[in-house]
Amino acid sequence: MKSFIGTGVALITPFKEDLSVDVQALENLVESQIENGVDYLVVLGTTAESASLDKEEKQLVKNTVVKQNNNRLPLVLGLGGNNTRLVCEELKAEDFTGFDAILSVSPFYNKPTQEGIYQHFKAVSTASPLPIILYNVPGRTASNMLPETINRIARDFENVIGVKEAAGDMVQAMKLISLVPEDFLVISGDDMLTLPMTLAGGKGVISVIAQGLPVEFSKMVSLGLDGKSAEAYKLHYKIQHSIDLIFAEGNPAGIKALLAQKGSIENYVRLPLVKATPELQQQIQDFLSNFK
């Protein structure tokens, strides 16, 4: 579990102009994250536009990241859904070579009760050959996995080792941290709340902005984990406007615009997403020009 303390990065999927997967850009992105001090990588999460990738493309992304990483950083694979049976079948059939854990989102669209969420993850826990990190993101799933439910899952299933908590609610995050077992990882899924959650007892972040500002964001998280709040908040306030910018028109349009400004990728997303507006791209460029 110590592998997932610190800064995890939710990798994008870079595309070429024809919207095919840009393998070279993905390789370069993985290398950049490793060189700039992030602690682990998350593959095929929401930020990767995984909902718009077909099976072959997902396999290409996985193969590319695993090969480029070459066992240097722990890897987490996004694998979840709202059909429990199909999620479990996929967990039993998947080749997880090169991966160290699963990030599994709470079922979306169906809006299950808390008991339904518990029973879903009971089945997922039984089926998974790898440790599981839960993912609570009610803004996308339309249902909130409550701290009491997460605590129940954490105590009942040993292979569920943590949660990416992205409700955007600091009160809920503190309640969650106070309830779960001491060795259960409460990981921020909200870049803006990463530092206060870490200082409150969380174990870091699975981040979007860290992909664009890996050195600074990773250092902020490390300072937070060490309890050096004053130094950490100096970095937080330096970075925070970029977080507002990259989420202003949705994810990953914003982070792709930032990475394109840095020359890391070409700026393409797949429908139904659209790229950031020229106005937002200019704001991101202005931020980067003044970021020192």
Side-chain angles (χ1 to χ4, degrees):
M1 288 186 287
K2 291 181 180 179
S3 299
F4 310 112
I5 295 174
T7 300
V9 164
L11 289 171
I12 63 156
T13 302
F15 298 126
K16 299 178 182 178
E17 186 175 3
D18 65 0
L19 297 184
S20 62
V21 176
D22 190 337
V23 172
Q24 183 64 61
L26 182 56
E27 290 173 346
N28 294 343
L29 193 61
V30 169
E31 196 62 33
S32 173
Q33 302 306 302
I34 295 170
E35 290 176 356
N36 285 291
V38 308
D39 296 298
Y40 61 99
L41 301 174
V42 178
V43 183
L44 294 179
T46 306
T47 305
E49 296 176 75
S50 53
S52 64
L53 299 175
D54 64 29
K55 185 176 180 179
E56 289 73 24
E57 289 169 329
K58 288 180 179 180
Q59 191 62 52
L60 175 61
V61 168
K62 288 186 289 186
N63 291 346
T64 300
V65 175
V66 168
K67 182 178 179 182
Q68 187 66 32
N69 181 56
N70 195 25
N71 295 312
R72 288 177 288 174
L73 293 183
L75 298 181
V76 179
L77 179 65
L79 199 162
N82 61 346
N83 182 324
T84 306
R85 178 178 57 83
L86 290 181
V87 172
C88 292
E89 287 176 0
E90 191 172 354
L91 282 165
K92 293 174 182 177
E94 180 71 44
D95 178 6
F96 291 111
T97 302
F99 288 93
D100 302 279
I102 297 299
L103 178 67
S104 196
V105 69
S106 184
F108 46 87
Y109 189 74
N110 310 50
K111 296 184 74 172
T113 64
Q114 296 301 303
E115 183 63 27
I117 292 170
Y118 174 87
Q119 293 297 335
H120 170 83
F121 282 114
K122 178 180 180 180
V124 168
S125 170
T126 301
S128 179
L130 289 182
I132 299 161
I133 300 171
L134 310 174
Y135 184 14
N136 184 38
V137 57
R140 289 184 181 273
T141 64
S143 65
N144 186 17
M145 186 160 42
L146 296 177
E148 293 83 359
T149 302
I150 296 171
N151 179 50
R152 183 182 172 200
I153 294 168
R155 294 181 185 279
D156 286 355
F157 310 117
E158 289 186 0
N159 62 339
V160 180
I161 63 169
V163 60
K164 178 184 177 183
E165 173 56 41
D169 183 337
M170 192 60 203
V171 174
Q172 178 167 302
M174 290 190 294
K175 184 175 183 181
L176 174 61
I177 291 166
S178 73
L179 283 177
V180 295
E182 189 173 343
D183 61 350
F184 187 80
L185 306 175
V186 178
I187 300 165
S188 175
D190 185 318
D191 284 340
M192 195 66 83
L193 292 183
T194 293
L195 183 55
M197 279 183 64
T198 300
L199 291 169
K203 302 302 182 184
V205 64
I206 293 176
S207 173
V208 178
I209 191 59
Q211 193 158 194
L213 304 173
V215 173
E216 296 82 4
F217 205 81
S218 295
K219 184 177 180 182
M220 181 197 77
V221 173
S222 179
L223 288 167
L225 288 167
D226 289 340
K228 298 178 180 178
S229 60
E231 293 176 71
Y233 268 115
K234 285 181 182 179
L235 280 170
H236 170 89
Y237 292 129
K238 180 180 178 182
I239 294 165
Q240 70 174 3
H241 184 49
S242 69
I243 299 171
D244 287 332
L245 290 174
I246 66 165
F247 290 107
E249 294 177 5
N251 183 43
I255 189 63
K256 282 195 164 183
L258 187 148
L259 290 167
Q261 293 281 1
K262 296 184 74 172
S264 302
I265 64 166
E266 295 184 73
N267 190 14
Y268 297 107
V269 295
R270 285 183 175 177
L271 288 170
L273 302 184
V274 294
K275 68 174 64 176
T277 58
E279 293 79 10
L280 180 57
Q281 291 185 52
Q282 183 61 55
Q283 290 177 302
I284 291 170
Q285 182 179 336
D286 293 343
F287 172 86
L288 290 173
S289 296
N290 295 315
F291 187 77
K292 296 177 182 177

